[in-house]
Amino acid sequence: MLAGKLLATGIDTVAWNLGNAVYQGDSFSVGAQTSSPQGVFFKPDGLKMYIVESLNDRVYEYDLSVAWDVTTASYLQSFYVGSQDTLPSGVFFRADGLKMYVIGYLNRRVYEYNLSVAWNVTTASFLQNFSVGNQEAHPTGVFFKPDGLKMYIIGLATDAV
């Protein structure tokens, strides 16, 4: 993410090999919604994109008319997470879209939300939180193993996952 833009990079010829990465020149500005994007998440089919930001403490939802092509993104709606943390820095969704997790930099917690409609952030309701402060003083990202049995945190203080 650079200056509020999502940049797309293509992997040419060999999947998952960064040695073949080439910047495609594709980008999408989220500046109409925020000047402080912190994290991004894509729905597994590539037709939705979510940006978490720390200026207005929101998760923004975008539709992509062409899967994985950020140039086709259009803003849909947002959800306020500032009641839990005023510096959200990362977002992750369960594969079925019925759970959303936001990591908060300020309170050093992962917040769990239930979504009553899959992938629709406006249907989110706060459920519970988990402190990661003993492991990371400045958490910035959260990721789950596909079966949900492991959670991974990254941050600025420990230089560790």
Side-chain angles (χ1 to χ4, degrees):
M1 198 86 46
L2 179 67
K5 283 195 175 192
L6 184 68
L7 305 174
T9 300
I11 302 294
D12 190 312
T13 67
V14 180
W16 302 97
N17 184 343
L18 289 179
N20 295 322
V22 180
Y23 174 60
Q24 294 179 315
D26 297 340
S27 67
F28 174 75
S29 176
V30 296
Q33 287 76 49
T34 180
S35 61
S36 186
Q38 299 296 313
V40 63
F41 183 88
F42 285 86
K43 184 179 171 194
D45 66 7
L47 292 172
K48 282 203 178 278
M49 175 177 75
Y50 301 87
I51 302 286
V52 65
E53 62 87 32
S54 60
L55 185 62
N56 297 310
D57 312 321
R58 293 191 168 278
V59 175
Y60 294 95
E61 179 181 340
Y62 300 83
D63 283 332
L64 280 70
S65 58
V66 177
W68 303 104
D69 184 345
V70 296
T71 65
T72 69
S74 59
Y75 171 69
L76 186 60
Q77 56 200 1
S78 70
F79 178 75
Y80 180 70
V81 296
S83 298
Q84 284 72 53
D85 200 298
T86 57
L87 287 174
S89 55
V91 63
F92 184 89
F93 286 79
R94 193 170 71 184
D96 63 5
L98 292 172
K99 291 268 188 193
M100 176 176 73
Y101 301 87
V102 174
I103 193 158
Y105 186 90
L106 185 65
N107 296 326
R108 298 181 292 259
R109 294 180 177 275
V110 176
Y111 301 94
E112 179 181 355
Y113 300 84
N114 286 327
L115 279 72
S116 58
V117 176
W119 304 106
N120 182 332
V121 295
T122 64
T123 69
S125 59
F126 173 69
L127 182 62
Q128 60 187 339
N129 68 74
F130 177 78
S131 175
V132 296
N134 288 336
Q135 293 76 40
E136 175 58 56
H138 306 293
T140 56
V142 60
F143 185 87
F144 284 82
K145 184 178 166 195
D147 65 9
L149 294 176
K150 288 199 185 253
M151 177 174 67
Y152 302 88
I153 304 298
I154 192 162
L156 300 174
T158 61
D159 297 326
V161 176

